[in-house]
Amino acid sequence: MTERTAISSGDRAEQVRDLLRRSIAVKEKLIAGHADAAVRLADLAVAAIAGGGKLMLCGNGGSAADAQHLAAELLVRLRPQVERDGLPAIALAMDSSALTACGNDYSFEIFYERMVRALGRKGDLLIAISTSGRSPNIVRALKTARALGIKTAGLLGGDGGAALAQCDEAVVVPDHETGRIQEAHIALGHALMELIEDGLLAQGVMRTGP
């Protein structure tokens, strides 16, 4: 039993190492060919905030959690050494009452579209996070934003799906494993938040200090 447990433990440890290697391999692909797209996406966000607009972020499941995570980095604080005012960012899935009301009264598919129509204004930026780029509610939100003159951006995966064509800028993680794409998305998200903060600091848009 002890030997069998040790072998099982070794196999599981190798499983962890393999998962981490796959995660690193995906990020190496991003390093090689997608950093410029991330910079362009960050520039869209800087322009939106500098112009008096806000960021709206949306996603489903883990991507909804990523949207909330990244919005919080701007609303509160990203780096302890940079004291500044909060920046205007909202995760569209934060209101569970609105989300469930829309799903019950209309459909979940139109929820983000409805939020964009209600809360979005020209000059804002919608950032959609989707591992496949195929979620109907994400695609509808992006189409609606563009129709309203709102800039659109995506953190996508695979081939970008239908969402890619609706994005003014996008970083498409070149992989099809959901977990690895999500890990890349949050790493990219943190890079984007730093670029946004640095860009706004360089323009003197943010008030800094305690």
Side-chain angles (χ1 to χ4, degrees):
M1 176 69 84
T2 303
E3 182 182 352
R4 212 176 287 126
T5 302
I7 293 171
S8 174
S9 177
D11 288 346
R12 286 181 291 137
E14 183 54 35
Q15 181 179 350
V16 172
R17 285 189 285 268
D18 181 61
L19 184 153
L20 292 172
R21 291 186 194 105
R22 296 200 308 273
S23 186
I24 291 167
V26 171
K27 294 181 180 71
E28 291 284 0
K29 292 178 185 176
L30 292 174
I31 291 169
H34 296 77
D36 289 342
V39 170
R40 292 193 299 269
L41 199 162
D43 287 346
L44 276 184
V46 169
I49 295 172
K54 64 183 175 293
L55 305 188
M56 299 180 291
L57 299 96
C58 64
N60 295 311
S63 297
D66 285 345
Q68 292 183 41
H69 179 161
L70 297 175
E73 304 282 27
L74 294 180
L75 284 165
V76 185
R77 189 171 66 172
L78 175 65
R79 294 174 284 188
Q81 70 273 26
V82 181
E83 286 291 346
R84 52 150 172 91
D85 284 344
L87 296 170
I90 181 171
L92 297 180
M94 288 181 68
D95 186 342
S96 59
S97 294
L99 176 62
T100 53
C102 188
N104 183 65
D105 295 352
Y106 299 103
S107 78
F108 178 66
E109 188 172 311
I110 72 164
F111 175 70
Y112 285 137
E113 173 187 358
R114 196 170 181 87
M115 293 302 101
V116 169
R117 288 191 185 280
L119 302 173
R121 299 291 182 270
K122 190 171 183 177
D124 292 342
L125 172 66
L126 175 65
I127 301 176
I129 307 174
S130 173
T131 58
S132 69
R134 292 179 172 81
S135 301
N137 61 340
I138 296 295
V139 176
R140 289 182 69 139
L142 289 166
K143 286 181 177 179
T144 298
R146 294 189 108 182
L148 295 173
I150 296 168
K151 293 290 187 180
T152 57
L155 292 179
L156 310 173
D159 62 4
L164 181 58
Q166 303 302 323
C167 291
D168 294 303
E169 290 292 350
V171 181
V172 183
V173 177
D175 202 77
H176 294 277
E177 191 175 1
T178 299
R180 309 297 75 76
I181 297 169
Q182 289 178 329
E183 290 154 11
H185 278 172
I186 201 61
L188 283 165
H190 281 144
L192 287 170
M193 296 305 107
E194 289 196 18
L195 289 171
I196 292 166
E197 193 173 71
D198 288 344
L200 292 169
L201 284 168
Q203 292 188 26
V205 174
M206 295 188 304
R207 188 184 71 85
T208 57

